[in-house]
Amino acid sequence: MTGKTKIAIFASGSGSNFEALEIACREGELDAEIALVMTDKPASFVIERARQADIRGVALEPKAFPTKQAFEEALLAILREAGVEWIVLAGYMRLIGPTMLAAYPSRIVNIHPSLLPSFPGKDAIGQAVAHGVKVTGVTVHLVDEGMDTGPILNQAAVPVVEGDPEKTAQAIQKTEHVIYKETLQKLFKPVPANN
Ligand code: GRF
């Protein structure tokens, strides 16, 4: 027993959030063990980052299964065998279905690059810029059956850099890499209230 929370990270893309969490685990800022990284996109760079960090990478494509339920049951078998307690979504571009939600009730967390409930779904930063907001941000929330709708755990504001969506995106990523590890640490190891 290490006393560490066993997590699986799900990602579909570059995996910079995975990398930030992996460093936080190694440096003792996040009391968790990343049992595996799962991707639905075998070519995604997150798998290379996992390999470099010596963490098990699992690529599972939904199209290889007849139904979403069959896909999620196969995934669950892997998670259970690895002893995964919490699922951490980090740029995972797929809705979690009823099979997974029932197996991990209130134990799936997501990070989204906007101040929810504003700008859910794809290209949240583009949506915010197009809307002309001056401040956007990052939300960490529990996952329910909706798209970016579950209970909010934490938020941080990030100013929009006028005329420079790229800089805005960089500032958001920087904030994500800090807020995710901090929120997860509080979630896994809540500080007991003083009497
Ligand atoms: C992040 O902005 C995250 O909020 C969103 O997808 C992006 C993933 O980035 N859901 P990365 O793959 O972690 O670099």
Side-chain angles (χ1 to χ4, degrees), residues 121-133:
K122 283 190 182 154
D123 191 20
I125 301 170
Q127 291 184 54
V129 168
H131 204 89
V133 297

PDB file of all heavy atoms in Angstrom, residues 121-133:
ATOM      1  N   GLY A 121     -18.269  22.479 -24.694  1.00  0.00           N
ATOM      2  CA  GLY A 121     -18.056  21.794 -25.983  1.00  0.00           C
ATOM      3  C   GLY A 121     -16.745  22.159 -26.626  1.00  0.00           C
ATOM      4  O   GLY A 121     -15.812  22.636 -25.973  1.00  0.00           O
ATOM      5  N   LYS A 122     -16.712  21.922 -27.951  1.00  0.00           N
ATOM      6  CA  LYS A 122     -15.454  22.076 -28.691  1.00  0.00           C
ATOM      7  C   LYS A 122     -15.036  23.535 -28.838  1.00  0.00           C
ATOM      8  O   LYS A 122     -15.883  24.435 -28.858  1.00  0.00           O
ATOM      9  CB  LYS A 122     -15.617  21.471 -30.079  1.00  0.00           C
ATOM     10  CG  LYS A 122     -15.547  19.953 -30.045  1.00  0.00           C
ATOM     11  CD  LYS A 122     -15.467  19.372 -31.444  1.00  0.00           C
ATOM     12  CE  LYS A 122     -15.443  17.853 -31.344  1.00  0.00           C
ATOM     13  NZ  LYS A 122     -15.953  17.186 -32.503  1.00  0.00           N
ATOM     14  N   ASP A 123     -13.752  23.756 -29.001  1.00  0.00           N
ATOM     15  CA  ASP A 123     -13.148  25.063 -29.278  1.00  0.00           C
ATOM     16  C   ASP A 123     -13.668  26.154 -28.335  1.00  0.00           C
ATOM     17  O   ASP A 123     -14.124  27.220 -28.781  1.00  0.00           O
ATOM     18  CB  ASP A 123     -13.384  25.463 -30.748  1.00  0.00           C
ATOM     19  CG  ASP A 123     -12.527  26.678 -31.129  1.00  0.00           C
ATOM     20  OD1 ASP A 123     -11.525  26.955 -30.432  1.00  0.00           O
ATOM     21  OD2 ASP A 123     -12.877  27.366 -32.106  1.00  0.00           O
ATOM     22  N   ALA A 124     -13.571  25.886 -27.045  1.00  0.00           N
ATOM     23  CA  ALA A 124     -14.078  26.831 -26.054  1.00  0.00           C
ATOM     24  C   ALA A 124     -13.342  28.171 -26.129  1.00  0.00           C
ATOM     25  O   ALA A 124     -13.949  29.235 -25.929  1.00  0.00           O
ATOM     26  CB  ALA A 124     -13.926  26.223 -24.656  1.00  0.00           C
ATOM     27  N   ILE A 125     -12.055  28.123 -26.428  1.00  0.00           N
ATOM     28  CA  ILE A 125     -11.283  29.376 -26.491  1.00  0.00           C
ATOM     29  C   ILE A 125     -11.736  30.188 -27.711  1.00  0.00           C
ATOM     30  O   ILE A 125     -11.983  31.394 -27.614  1.00  0.00           O
ATOM     31  CB  ILE A 125      -9.763  29.095 -26.529  1.00  0.00           C
ATOM     32  CG1 ILE A 125      -9.361  28.301 -25.277  1.00  0.00           C
ATOM     33  CG2 ILE A 125      -8.965  30.395 -26.628  1.00  0.00           C
ATOM     34  CD1 ILE A 125      -7.945  27.754 -25.289  1.00  0.00           C
ATOM     35  N   GLY A 126     -11.898  29.522 -28.841  1.00  0.00           N
ATOM     36  CA  GLY A 126     -12.401  30.180 -30.057  1.00  0.00           C
ATOM     37  C   GLY A 126     -13.786  30.773 -29.826  1.00  0.00           C
ATOM     38  O   GLY A 126     -14.075  31.895 -30.264  1.00  0.00           O
ATOM     39  N   GLN A 127     -14.628  30.037 -29.131  1.00  0.00           N
ATOM     40  CA  GLN A 127     -15.980  30.535 -28.834  1.00  0.00           C
ATOM     41  C   GLN A 127     -15.905  31.815 -27.993  1.00  0.00           C
ATOM     42  O   GLN A 127     -16.627  32.784 -28.249  1.00  0.00           O
ATOM     43  CB  GLN A 127     -16.770  29.510 -28.028  1.00  0.00           C
ATOM     44  CG  GLN A 127     -17.167  28.236 -28.740  1.00  0.00           C
ATOM     45  CD  GLN A 127     -18.034  27.380 -27.803  1.00  0.00           C
ATOM     46  OE1 GLN A 127     -19.044  27.830 -27.264  1.00  0.00           O
ATOM     47  NE2 GLN A 127     -17.627  26.150 -27.584  1.00  0.00           N
ATOM     48  N   ALA A 128     -15.020  31.804 -26.984  1.00  0.00           N
ATOM     49  CA  ALA A 128     -14.898  32.965 -26.092  1.00  0.00           C
ATOM     50  C   ALA A 128     -14.386  34.189 -26.856  1.00  0.00           C
ATOM     51  O   ALA A 128     -14.914  35.301 -26.707  1.00  0.00           O
ATOM     52  CB  ALA A 128     -13.967  32.631 -24.924  1.00  0.00           C
ATOM     53  N   VAL A 129     -13.371  33.964 -27.697  1.00  0.00           N
ATOM     54  CA  VAL A 129     -12.792  35.064 -28.489  1.00  0.00           C
ATOM     55  C   VAL A 129     -13.862  35.611 -29.446  1.00  0.00           C
ATOM     56  O   VAL A 129     -14.071  36.824 -29.541  1.00  0.00           O
ATOM     57  CB  VAL A 129     -11.534  34.590 -29.253  1.00  0.00           C
ATOM     58  CG1 VAL A 129     -11.097  35.616 -30.277  1.00  0.00           C
ATOM     59  CG2 VAL A 129     -10.390  34.289 -28.267  1.00  0.00           C
ATOM     60  N   ALA A 130     -14.578  34.709 -30.127  1.00  0.00           N
ATOM     61  CA  ALA A 130     -15.606  35.140 -31.083  1.00  0.00           C
ATOM     62  C   ALA A 130     -16.711  35.930 -30.387  1.00  0.00           C
ATOM     63  O   ALA A 130     -17.291  36.856 -30.951  1.00  0.00           O
ATOM     64  CB  ALA A 130     -16.199  33.920 -31.788  1.00  0.00           C
ATOM     65  N   HIS A 131     -16.985  35.591 -29.139  1.00  0.00           N
ATOM     66  CA  HIS A 131     -18.038  36.277 -28.391  1.00  0.00           C
ATOM     67  C   HIS A 131     -17.578  37.650 -27.895  1.00  0.00           C
ATOM     68  O   HIS A 131     -18.375  38.480 -27.488  1.00  0.00           O
ATOM     69  CB  HIS A 131     -18.474  35.416 -27.201  1.00  0.00           C
ATOM     70  CG  HIS A 131     -19.848  35.715 -26.732  1.00  0.00           C
ATOM     71  ND1 HIS A 131     -20.960  35.086 -27.251  1.00  0.00           N
ATOM     72  CD2 HIS A 131     -20.308  36.604 -25.825  1.00  0.00           C
ATOM     73  CE1 HIS A 131     -22.036  35.568 -26.662  1.00  0.00           C
ATOM     74  NE2 HIS A 131     -21.671  36.499 -25.789  1.00  0.00           N
ATOM     75  N   GLY A 132     -16.267  37.851 -27.879  1.00  0.00           N
ATOM     76  CA  GLY A 132     -15.730  39.144 -27.445  1.00  0.00           C
ATOM     77  C   GLY A 132     -15.623  39.309 -25.941  1.00  0.00           C
ATOM     78  O   GLY A 132     -15.527  40.440 -25.445  1.00  0.00           O
ATOM     79  N   VAL A 133     -15.595  38.179 -25.199  1.00  0.00           N
ATOM     80  CA  VAL A 133     -15.451  38.330 -23.739  1.00  0.00           C
ATOM     81  C   VAL A 133     -14.041  38.832 -23.420  1.00  0.00           C
ATOM     82  O   VAL A 133     -13.095  38.607 -24.181  1.00  0.00           O
ATOM     83  CB  VAL A 133     -15.726  37.015 -22.970  1.00  0.00           C
ATOM     84  CG1 VAL A 133     -17.162  36.555 -23.165  1.00  0.00           C
ATOM     85  CG2 VAL A 133     -14.761  35.921 -23.368  1.00  0.00           C
TER      86      VAL A 133
END
